Amino acid sequence: SLGCSNYILDVHDLEFDGSLYKSIPLAPKVIYYLERNAVSKVSKIIVVSEPMRDFLVNEWKVPEDKIEIIPNGYFEEKLERFDGSEEEEGLISFIGVFTHNIDYDKVIELAKSREDARIYMIGDGPMRAEFIKRVKREGLRNILVPGFLPDDEAYSILAKSQVCIFPLKNTLHTRVAGHMKTFDYAALGKAIATDRDGTAVIFEKHDAALVSDPANPNEFIEGVHRLLEDSNLRRKLGENARRLVKDFTWEKQGERLVRMYESK
């Protein structure tokens, strides 16, 4: 909009179809214009997922040779000391920011369907207060919302969980974005139940998570049930996930970024 061109653009998500702005008049159209205009004048675009690349190429006609895929990663040194933690029966956990893109209905229905489970929703964000009100209104005592926790405490809960979850709403934003929490779950060797996003497609290809269609709530909830009830499946997916993410540390992703700049 200011006339800049020939720049490198790092695109982590597309917001024009995200849940946050849909209720604001004209906001999706304005954001669409800004995002579409931004990608039209670049020399190179860094994206975090294959679905994001495919959208830019197929829908916005960005030449594929201008796009470099560098997914998000995880801090290996923060997580390795929690390796080998013993699972606690029925423990399910989520960590992250409580945004408009999380499908809280799925968490509520999961809690109702598994009263024997405890679901930790760790983190903070704009939707946390509303989610807590909903949990209280539903009278659900098996959902715990402790807010932000120190790293050691948060990762300890994740490491002891039988299943780590990531329920998402069905928007373009969620389908193309690449989220970091899935890599954290995997580095801990956890069985993951996630809706399909830009990161989940990597795990799906390597049989390293149960990946569901975000438009199908029952598929997500049934996936969590399967993992809670099948220790062999949990073990297989957890081992595959830990093996997969060895190539996705932030150190290695940083090296890829440097190589991309050096090739310019």
Side-chain angles (χ1 to χ4, degrees):
S1 298
L2 297 176
C4 299
S5 61
N6 199 34
Y7 47 82
I8 295 175
L9 181 67
D10 191 349
V11 182
H12 271 243
D13 51 41
L14 295 169
E15 283 291 351
F16 74 87
D17 189 49
S19 302
L20 181 58
Y21 302 106
K22 283 189 173 180
S23 62
I24 304 174
L26 299 179
K29 289 184 178 180
V30 172
I31 295 168
Y32 178 91
Y33 166 77
L34 293 172
E35 292 182 328
R36 178 98 190 244
N37 200 39
V39 304
S40 68
K41 300 176 181 179
V42 300
S43 59
K44 198 76 172 180
I45 300 175
I46 303 166
V47 300
V48 292
S49 73
E50 291 181 10
M52 187 178 289
R53 176 203 60 195
D54 295 343
F55 175 84
L56 294 178
V57 171
N58 297 327
E59 302 299 326
W60 285 0
K61 309 307 178 186
V62 177
E64 189 168 353
D65 61 4
K66 285 189 173 185
I67 301 174
E68 182 84 15
I69 302 174
I70 303 180
N72 284 311
Y74 70 100
F75 292 105
E76 186 176 24
E77 64 278 6
K78 283 188 176 183
L79 298 164
E80 57 188 0
R81 65 180 176 276
F82 297 97
D83 192 26
S85 298
E86 188 173 345
E87 289 182 350
E88 291 187 10
E89 187 77 18
L91 185 58
I92 301 167
S93 60
F94 162 93
I95 191 169
V97 181
F98 283 63
T99 69
H100 292 73
N101 297 304
I102 304 300
D103 195 330
Y104 303 100
D105 289 343
K106 291 172 185 170
V107 181
I108 296 294
E109 293 306 314
L110 175 60
K112 290 179 178 178
S113 69
R114 292 299 299 238
E115 294 183 0
D116 59 322
R118 288 176 300 138
I119 306 172
Y120 270 91
M121 298 290 288
I122 304 168
D124 205 344
M127 296 298 293
R128 179 172 176 263
E130 183 61 35
F131 179 62
I132 290 174
K133 289 179 184 177
R134 174 85 183 276
V135 170
K136 290 180 178 178
R137 194 164 58 243
E138 298 280 356
L140 295 168
R141 298 181 179 276
N142 57 341
I143 297 179
L144 300 95
V145 193
F148 275 124
L149 296 174
D151 283 353
D152 283 359
E153 189 175 347
Y155 292 140
S156 177
I157 293 171
L158 296 182
K160 294 174 184 176
S161 298
Q162 289 189 308
V163 185
C164 289
I165 62 171
F166 192 20
L168 288 164
K169 292 182 179 177
N170 183 34
T171 67
L172 174 68
H173 169 91
T174 58
R175 291 194 298 272
V176 303
H179 298 89
M180 293 180 284
K181 64 177 59 58
T182 316
F183 293 116
D184 287 344
Y185 295 163
L188 292 167
K190 304 317 299 178
I192 302 166
T194 177
D195 281 319
R196 189 173 289 107
D197 69 346
T199 300
V201 297
I202 301 171
F203 285 76
E204 193 170 24
K205 287 179 181 178
H206 293 85
D207 197 18
L210 287 188
V211 179
S212 50
D213 180 353
N216 186 348
N218 289 335
E219 186 179 5
F220 176 83
I221 293 169
E222 289 167 4
V224 178
H225 286 198
R226 281 183 62 198
L227 291 175
L228 288 173
E229 294 160 7
D230 190 337
S231 60
N232 290 329
L233 180 60
R234 289 199 306 272
R235 188 179 305 108
K236 182 185 80 168
L237 293 180
E239 290 173 354
N240 289 349
R242 182 187 281 118
R243 191 179 306 115
L244 171 65
V245 296
K246 291 293 184 184
D247 290 329
F248 290 92
T249 64
W250 278 122
E251 182 179 8
K252 290 183 179 179
Q253 300 305 69
E255 290 170 355
R256 294 182 63 187
L257 185 64
V258 170
R259 287 197 297 271
M260 188 276 293
Y261 274 99
E262 289 177 343
S263 68
K264 288 290 295 171

